[in-house]
Structures are given as C-alpha cells and as structure tokens.
Amino acid sequence: MENTPNLAMPYIAPAQAQKHVTHNDAIRLLDAVVQIAVETRTFTSPPQAAADGHRLIVAAGAAEEWQGHENEIAAWQDASWHCYEPKPGWTCWLTDEGRLIVWRDDSWNDAL
C-alpha cells in the first residue's frame, strides 16, 4: 500500500531516497484538510493574490489551473495551488457565509 486509506497520504517506502519529500507531502495534506475553514466558494479561477494557507472551495465552471477541480478544496501552499477532493463526511466552515457545510451526495450541503 502506497497511501493511507482515508486521506491518501503517502507512506514512506523502505529504503526510499529523499524521505523528506514524501513526509512533507503528507504534512501539507494534513494542513489543508484537517480543521477545514475556507474563505469562500465563489472563485472559478485562482485569485491574483493569496497568502500561504489560503483555502477556497472551487466554484462550478472552474477555469485555468482549477479546471476539473470543481467543489474541491484549493489551498495555496508552498507558492502554488493544491486541490484536494473532498470525501463523504468532510465538514468545512465557510467563513463568508458563516455556516458549516458537509460533503455528502457529491456536493457541499448545510451540515444541519
């Protein structure tokens, strides 16, 4: 098995060179998807400016580097965007709407 079953975090393989790369990928993933809070779900393409750790939900009709990543969590990490596909039951605080949402039935829905 190369990845964990729930978050698909990479395992370090025996005798693997550059173990820090695999470890850092796993830490980056944890930082993006644990205790999720995003600013908004209205952007279809990356904003012009982003701070490290900035997270959004990619809106429908995504374009540019986000094309094909609708409804995913986009996180600005290490000077680039990383997209993470939500799994059933993931909850997320949506800051601009002041609501808790949950991923179920292939979409984000109100948690209650």
Side-chain angles (χ1 to χ4, degrees), residues 45-58:
S45 60
Q48 293 291 338
D52 203 28
H54 189 150
R55 291 180 293 189
L56 308 164
I57 293 175
V58 179

Side-chain angles (χ1 to χ4, degrees), residues 18-62:
Q18 298 187 341
K19 291 175 174 48
H20 67 283
V21 173
T22 300
H23 175 77
N24 290 345
D25 284 346
I27 296 299
R28 185 180 300 109
L29 173 64
L30 282 173
D31 189 61
V33 302
V34 173
Q35 298 292 337
I36 304 169
V38 300
E39 287 187 31
T40 188
R41 55 180 166 183
T42 60
F43 285 88
T44 57
S45 60
Q48 293 291 338
D52 203 28
H54 189 150
R55 291 180 293 189
L56 308 164
I57 293 175
V58 179

Side-chain angles (χ1 to χ4, degrees), residues 6 20 27 43 47-48 59 64 74-78 99 106:
N6 292 313
H20 67 283
I27 296 299
F43 285 88
Q48 293 291 338
E64 299 175 22
W76 181 255
Q77 298 170 302
D78 300 326
R99 68 173 53 176
D106 295 325

Side-chain angles (χ1 to χ4, degrees), residues 49-87:
D52 203 28
H54 189 150
R55 291 180 293 189
L56 308 164
I57 293 175
V58 179
E64 299 175 22
E65 65 186 278
W66 284 357
Q67 187 172 6
H69 294 283
E70 287 88 354
N71 288 311
E72 293 183 10
I73 305 293
W76 181 255
Q77 298 170 302
D78 300 326
S80 65
W81 288 102
H82 299 265
C83 292
Y84 301 98
E85 184 177 348
K87 306 287 188 232

